[in-house]
Structures are given as C-alpha cells and as structure tokens.
Amino acid sequence: MSLRFELSKTGHAARRASLHTPHGKVETPVFMPVGTQATVKAVAQDVLEELNVQVLLGNTYHLYLRPGVGQIRQLGGLHRFMSWPRAILTDSGGFQVFSLSDLRKVTEEGVTFRSHLDGSTHLLSPETATDAQIGLGADIIMAFDECTEYPADGQRTRASMEMTLRWAERCKKYFEEHKSEVPWNSCQPSAVSHQENQKCIDPDIPVSDHSRRISSEHVGAAVPARSQMTQALFGIIQGGMDHALRKESAERTIETGFDGYAIGGLSVGEPRALTREIVESTLEHLPKDKPRYLMGVGTPEEIVEYANLGVDMMDCVLPTRAARHGLLFTSEGKISIKQARYASDQAPLDPNCSCRVCRRYSRAYLRHLYAANEVLAQVLNTIHNLSYYLDTMRRVRHSI
Ligand SMILES: [Zn+2]
C-alpha cells in the first residue's frame, strides 16, 4: 500500500479529499511549499509545522548533487535528515536538468549533464532518477519526463511526448522492482519519532488555534504501519500546448498506471490564458479517483482558479522567492515592502492575516529590515507569504 485518496466533497469541478501518505494525512486541495535543498529557504521546520504545512516538495536534482543520495539514505532518508515528520514529494530532477545544467545531452537512455556545482558529468535516466527518489524516501515520487520547451512544433512535441511515455514505463518497472528499498522501511530508530504524534494535525485549524490543534480524532487514525507502506509514484502528462496530444498523453499514461497524475510542461513561457486552457482540457481526461497535481503554478489567484477546476495539489517557488525580493501577497493586493511609502507605516503587513509576522510587526519595521538587508527580512517575509498561500488554500477547501 502506498497512498489512499479519499474524496469527501465535490463542488462544480473542484474536489475536497484526504490523501493518506506514509507520513500523515494531507487535506486537498493543497499547496506544497518548495524546499529545494532540504530546506524551505529562510524558514525552520518548526515554523513550517506551525503554519500547518502538510507536504513539502524536495528537488532531486539538487539533493542528488549535494549532499548526495547515498549520504541522505545513510542518514535515514530525507524525512529524518531534515527532521520533517510530515509528507514529502520529490520531483524527478528532469525539469532542473533541462533548466539549470550546462552541456546536457538528451538521448533515449536519459539526460547526460554537467553539474552546475563542480562540472562533473552525470546521467539522469528513468532508472537513476527513480533510484535517487527511492533513496531520498519521499512519500510521493515523480516519473522522469522530458519537459517540452515552448514554443515547439507539432512534430517535436509528439516526439518529446512519446519519449516521456516510454520513460514512464521504465520508471514504473524500476519502481516496482525496487520500491521495498525505501529508507523508512528499515527499522532504525527515527530522529523524528518523538514528533510523530503531530503528524495528523488538522491543517484546517487556523494558525492562531494551535493549542487546540492536537485533538483525539486527528491522531492515530487507522493508518497501516509505515513499514508496510511504500512510496507512491505519479506519472506526468506532457503534450505541449496541443489538446489532442495532451489527451493522448493522459490516456497512455493512465494505461501504464500510476498512483496519481501530474500535469507537466506548463508555465514554461506560454501566455497564462493558454496555461489555463490546457489545464482544463487535460483534467477532463484524468481519473476522478486519483490525485491530480499541477506542477509549478502559480499566483494566489491562479492556485484558487486551478483548485476550482479540480486540481488537488500544486507547488510553486513564487511565495518564497518573491518574499526574498520584498514582494508580499496580502488580502489587499501585492505590496513591495521596499517602497519608501511604508517607512512610517505602523499598520501590520496584512490586517486580515493572523500569521506570527502580521500579529507582531509593522510595515515600517519590515521595510527597515529589507532596506538594511537584514537576514530577518527574508525570514519574516517568507513566513508571511507562505501563510498567505496556505490560508488561501484553506479557504478554498472550506468553500468546496
Ligand atoms: Zn501575515
């Protein structure tokens, strides 16, 4: 057993569900903060717990190069290494290989690339990417795919899609043969075991109600022992901006058979209206009883829109990256905290936000920290932006 997906409510197209993973329950639709290097930049894990982050995303490409999969496996897997007791999803590394590395060469076997850290040469393939993700030990892992560039002509888009389909079969085969090797299947004592009674925290209880957050009905729900559970492998739909190819990619990926389905190859430079069009048409071809993950989107407005279209899971670097550049999302619109107009503003950043930053600090102070290039500016800005995204998703869940 790897994953149980229980639909509880459906709206027009939107769905509310629970995703039971080996590291706790995830209420969907869910926003997953990005923790590229086994850290959500500038925010410690206890604060992420307080913000009710349910599932984090880790980047295989970065962890594979540093500190290395073997090292993380030896230290008990990614959960134990970074002391994160809740769910984790890792990407396959494919997207980063395409966007970050020099001298990449794509063949049927996989992608040969040169590390951006030290120039060493590596091969990521369906087998090595799946092996790396088994070693890291996330709850949900992704098939290795080729993210088709934009724009691409019809012939190129089909060829790329066909290769992703062949790669998907190789990932599935490798996964089925090796899934028992996940690090949390070994019986070592866990550094995070003392926190495991927190793993079923209800993400729908607001941050301000933390003292009440561990209630008996949320602890110890009938979850099989972790040693009996395996990771879940998701397939990725490609097909560029072509509706017919997206449909074909969906049908053939479903034929191979995965625990969930992701829509990849979007937010690669195409107009926003086109992204939405492709998401909507692809969703029509995905099974209703499996989780659907839209990769790499978006703004607060977009994540609401996509959840309402029936997407269950989303991730994006926008809230964390924008925060580090002083761009903050609030209920009253975007704020660029570096602006001089906030120098004497004693109001909280967002009067409608109950996060620890808005409860305690003024816009004037946040503006000062940013202007003085203080590390705390990045910390506080990131905490607020994440809180804003997570609250936005919590409201969407309640509205379904
Ligand atoms: Zn706030």
Side-chain angles (χ1 to χ4, degrees), residues 63-272:
L63 298 170
Y64 167 90
L65 290 178
R66 180 176 58 195
V69 173
Q71 175 83 336
I72 291 179
R73 176 189 270 286
Q74 202 174 20
L75 293 167
L78 192 51
H79 290 89
R80 185 134 76 104
F81 175 56
M82 66 181 288
S83 187
W84 179 251
R86 300 183 189 172
I88 299 176
L89 180 151
T90 46
D91 64 6
S92 69
F95 185 77
Q96 255 94 21
V97 166
F98 289 106
S99 58
L100 277 183
S101 65
D102 291 339
L103 298 170
R104 63 174 191 269
K105 189 172 165 236
V106 184
T107 63
E108 187 66 30
E109 172 63 12
V111 184
T112 309
F113 66 97
R114 207 166 258 193
S115 162
H116 73 285
L117 295 176
D118 62 6
S120 55
T121 301
H122 303 264
L123 170 73
L124 265 185
S125 69
E127 291 78 19
T128 61
T130 306
D131 186 68
Q133 291 183 87
I134 292 171
L136 294 173
D139 299 270
I140 299 169
I141 69 175
M142 303 301 299
F144 187 71
D145 64 330
E146 183 180 49
C147 179
T148 314
E149 68 284 355
Y150 176 83
D153 66 28
Q155 200 183 356
R156 159 71 191 142
T157 306
R158 169 166 283 282
S160 175
M161 180 197 84
E162 294 281 357
M163 189 163 73
T164 287
L165 288 166
R166 290 189 297 274
W167 284 1
E169 285 185 19
R170 284 165 55 189
C171 288
K172 170 100 187 271
K173 180 171 186 288
Y174 190 90
F175 180 68
E176 291 302 329
E177 289 165 1
H178 296 271
K179 62 185 178 184
S180 64
E181 297 164 17
V182 69
W184 31 264
N185 251 341
S186 65
C187 296
Q188 297 159 346
S190 166
V192 294
S193 61
H194 66 283
Q195 296 169 340
E196 286 181 358
N197 63 342
Q198 295 184 11
K199 77 183 181 192
C200 296
I201 288 165
D202 191 334
D204 288 335
I205 297 174
V207 172
S208 51
D209 291 350
H210 274 146
S211 53
R212 294 192 276 122
R213 68 184 184 171
I214 301 177
S215 60
S216 56
E217 76 252 41
H218 296 121
V219 175
V223 177
R226 190 172 300 149
S227 59
Q228 295 164 13
M229 298 185 81
T230 58
Q231 298 172 289
L233 175 64
F234 281 22
I236 303 180
I237 314 301
Q238 289 288 347
M241 306 301 155
D242 183 313
H243 292 271
L245 288 182
R246 286 275 168 181
K247 177 172 188 277
E248 185 177 340
S249 174
E251 287 169 354
R252 291 171 60 189
T253 307
I254 292 163
E255 223 168 274
T256 301
F258 291 92
D259 299 305
Y261 296 92
I263 304 176
L266 293 175
S267 292
V268 287
E270 78 282 9
R272 291 280 161 82

Side-chain angles (χ1 to χ4, degrees), residues 36 53 101 129 152 160 170 181 216 236 245 257 283 289 304 310 347 349 366 394:
T36 298
V53 171
S101 65
S160 175
R170 284 165 55 189
E181 297 164 17
S216 56
I236 303 180
L245 288 182
L283 283 170
D289 61 345
V304 171
L349 177 56
L366 294 174
R394 180 156 43 229

Side-chain angles (χ1 to χ4, degrees), residues 25-30 52-56 84 86-87 203 397:
K25 186 172 76 168
V26 175
E27 296 291 343
T28 67
V30 66
N52 283 332
V53 171
Q54 307 182 75
V55 47
L56 280 185
W84 179 251
R86 300 183 189 172
R397 286 196 294 274

Side-chain angles (χ1 to χ4, degrees), residues 41-43 323-324 373-383:
K41 290 189 197 307
V43 185
R324 298 196 302 279
N373 201 20
E374 282 293 330
V375 172
L376 189 60
Q378 304 200 355
V379 175
L380 299 182
N381 291 348
T382 306
I383 290 172

